[in-house]
PDB file of all heavy atoms in Angstrom:
ATOM      1  N   ASP B 176       6.475 -23.988 -14.110  1.00  0.00           N
ATOM      2  CA  ASP B 176       7.142 -25.123 -14.754  1.00  0.00           C
ATOM      3  C   ASP B 176       8.685 -24.632 -14.881  1.00  0.00           C
ATOM      4  O   ASP B 176       9.631 -25.484 -14.856  1.00  0.00           O
ATOM      5  CB  ASP B 176       6.615 -25.227 -16.181  1.00  0.00           C
ATOM      6  CG  ASP B 176       5.171 -25.843 -16.235  1.00  0.00           C
ATOM      7  OD1 ASP B 176       4.990 -26.520 -15.096  1.00  0.00           O
ATOM      8  OD2 ASP B 176       4.471 -25.785 -17.182  1.00  0.00           O
ATOM      9  N   ASP B 177       8.969 -23.321 -14.877  1.00  0.00           N
ATOM     10  CA  ASP B 177      10.372 -22.868 -14.916  1.00  0.00           C
ATOM     11  C   ASP B 177      10.952 -22.979 -13.583  1.00  0.00           C
ATOM     12  O   ASP B 177      12.083 -22.399 -13.331  1.00  0.00           O
ATOM     13  CB  ASP B 177      10.443 -21.451 -15.518  1.00  0.00           C
ATOM     14  CG  ASP B 177       9.988 -21.489 -16.969  1.00  0.00           C
ATOM     15  OD1 ASP B 177      10.112 -22.569 -17.496  1.00  0.00           O
ATOM     16  OD2 ASP B 177       9.664 -20.352 -17.484  1.00  0.00           O
ATOM     17  N   GLY B 178      10.315 -23.419 -12.547  1.00  0.00           N
ATOM     18  CA  GLY B 178      10.881 -23.556 -11.234  1.00  0.00           C
ATOM     19  C   GLY B 178      10.381 -22.524 -10.269  1.00  0.00           C
ATOM     20  O   GLY B 178      10.882 -22.523  -9.033  1.00  0.00           O
ATOM     21  N   GLY B 179       9.396 -21.596 -10.590  1.00  0.00           N
ATOM     22  CA  GLY B 179       8.996 -20.766  -9.731  1.00  0.00           C
ATOM     23  C   GLY B 179       8.142 -21.222  -8.724  1.00  0.00           C
ATOM     24  O   GLY B 179       7.202 -22.160  -8.873  1.00  0.00           O
ATOM     25  N   THR B 180       7.986 -20.600  -7.550  1.00  0.00           N
ATOM     26  CA  THR B 180       7.026 -20.912  -6.405  1.00  0.00           C
ATOM     27  C   THR B 180       5.943 -19.995  -6.407  1.00  0.00           C
ATOM     28  O   THR B 180       6.047 -18.695  -6.576  1.00  0.00           O
ATOM     29  CB  THR B 180       7.816 -21.050  -5.175  1.00  0.00           C
ATOM     30  OG1 THR B 180       9.026 -21.907  -5.350  1.00  0.00           O
ATOM     31  CG2 THR B 180       7.001 -21.559  -4.008  1.00  0.00           C
ATOM     32  N   VAL B 181       4.705 -20.498  -6.186  1.00  0.00           N
ATOM     33  CA  VAL B 181       3.566 -19.660  -6.085  1.00  0.00           C
ATOM     34  C   VAL B 181       2.665 -19.856  -4.839  1.00  0.00           C
ATOM     35  O   VAL B 181       2.303 -21.092  -4.523  1.00  0.00           O
ATOM     36  CB  VAL B 181       2.655 -19.926  -7.398  1.00  0.00           C
ATOM     37  CG1 VAL B 181       1.386 -18.970  -7.460  1.00  0.00           C
ATOM     38  CG2 VAL B 181       3.438 -19.879  -8.732  1.00  0.00           C
ATOM     39  N   VAL B 182       2.201 -18.752  -4.250  1.00  0.00           N
ATOM     40  CA  VAL B 182       1.341 -18.834  -3.240  1.00  0.00           C
ATOM     41  C   VAL B 182       0.032 -17.960  -3.789  1.00  0.00           C
ATOM     42  O   VAL B 182       0.249 -16.807  -4.190  1.00  0.00           O
ATOM     43  CB  VAL B 182       1.736 -18.233  -1.833  1.00  0.00           C
ATOM     44  CG1 VAL B 182       0.628 -18.198  -0.912  1.00  0.00           C
ATOM     45  CG2 VAL B 182       2.830 -19.043  -1.450  1.00  0.00           C
ATOM     46  N   LEU B 183      -1.051 -18.605  -3.803  1.00  0.00           N
ATOM     47  CA  LEU B 183      -2.227 -18.024  -4.548  1.00  0.00           C
ATOM     48  C   LEU B 183      -3.476 -18.170  -3.624  1.00  0.00           C
ATOM     49  O   LEU B 183      -3.690 -19.081  -2.953  1.00  0.00           O
ATOM     50  CB  LEU B 183      -2.473 -19.188  -5.748  1.00  0.00           C
ATOM     51  CG  LEU B 183      -3.711 -18.920  -6.606  1.00  0.00           C
ATOM     52  CD1 LEU B 183      -3.295 -17.945  -7.658  1.00  0.00           C
ATOM     53  CD2 LEU B 183      -3.872 -20.338  -7.248  1.00  0.00           C
ATOM     54  N   THR B 184      -4.268 -16.958  -3.520  1.00  0.00           N
ATOM     55  CA  THR B 184      -5.525 -17.060  -2.904  1.00  0.00           C
ATOM     56  C   THR B 184      -6.534 -16.728  -4.007  1.00  0.00           C
ATOM     57  O   THR B 184      -6.241 -16.100  -4.925  1.00  0.00           O
ATOM     58  CB  THR B 184      -5.657 -15.929  -1.832  1.00  0.00           C
ATOM     59  OG1 THR B 184      -5.863 -14.730  -2.459  1.00  0.00           O
ATOM     60  CG2 THR B 184      -4.529 -15.888  -0.931  1.00  0.00           C
ATOM     61  N   SER B 185      -7.706 -17.355  -3.835  1.00  0.00           N
ATOM     62  CA  SER B 185      -8.622 -17.154  -4.759  1.00  0.00           C
ATOM     63  C   SER B 185     -10.051 -17.321  -4.212  1.00  0.00           C
ATOM     64  O   SER B 185     -10.271 -18.085  -3.345  1.00  0.00           O
ATOM     65  CB  SER B 185      -8.505 -18.002  -5.962  1.00  0.00           C
ATOM     66  OG  SER B 185      -9.483 -17.661  -7.021  1.00  0.00           O
ATOM     67  N   HIS B 186     -11.170 -16.549  -4.783  1.00  0.00           N
ATOM     68  CA  HIS B 186     -12.418 -16.913  -4.510  1.00  0.00           C
ATOM     69  C   HIS B 186     -12.892 -17.949  -5.258  1.00  0.00           C
ATOM     70  O   HIS B 186     -13.891 -18.587  -4.874  1.00  0.00           O
ATOM     71  CB  HIS B 186     -13.389 -15.580  -4.792  1.00  0.00           C
ATOM     72  CG  HIS B 186     -13.319 -14.492  -3.765  1.00  0.00           C
ATOM     73  ND1 HIS B 186     -13.026 -14.797  -2.436  1.00  0.00           N
ATOM     74  CD2 HIS B 186     -13.613 -13.252  -3.828  1.00  0.00           C
ATOM     75  CE1 HIS B 186     -13.053 -13.759  -1.698  1.00  0.00           C
ATOM     76  NE2 HIS B 186     -13.435 -12.715  -2.596  1.00  0.00           N
ATOM     77  N   TYR B 187     -12.307 -18.216  -6.454  1.00  0.00           N
ATOM     78  CA  TYR B 187     -12.726 -19.236  -7.274  1.00  0.00           C
ATOM     79  C   TYR B 187     -11.983 -20.539  -6.968  1.00  0.00           C
ATOM     80  O   TYR B 187     -10.881 -20.638  -7.194  1.00  0.00           O
ATOM     81  CB  TYR B 187     -12.403 -18.872  -8.900  1.00  0.00           C
ATOM     82  CG  TYR B 187     -12.862 -17.610  -9.209  1.00  0.00           C
ATOM     83  CD1 TYR B 187     -12.096 -16.554  -9.557  1.00  0.00           C
ATOM     84  CD2 TYR B 187     -14.300 -17.385  -9.381  1.00  0.00           C
ATOM     85  CE1 TYR B 187     -12.589 -15.356  -9.955  1.00  0.00           C
ATOM     86  CE2 TYR B 187     -14.831 -16.132  -9.838  1.00  0.00           C
ATOM     87  CZ  TYR B 187     -13.914 -15.168 -10.078  1.00  0.00           C
ATOM     88  OH  TYR B 187     -14.432 -13.944 -10.606  1.00  0.00           O
TER      89      TYR B 187
END
Side-chain angles (χ1 to χ4, degrees):
Chain B
D176 291 343
D177 293 341
T180 308
V181 182
V182 176
L183 176 83
T184 73
S185 183
H186 278 339
Y187 303 114

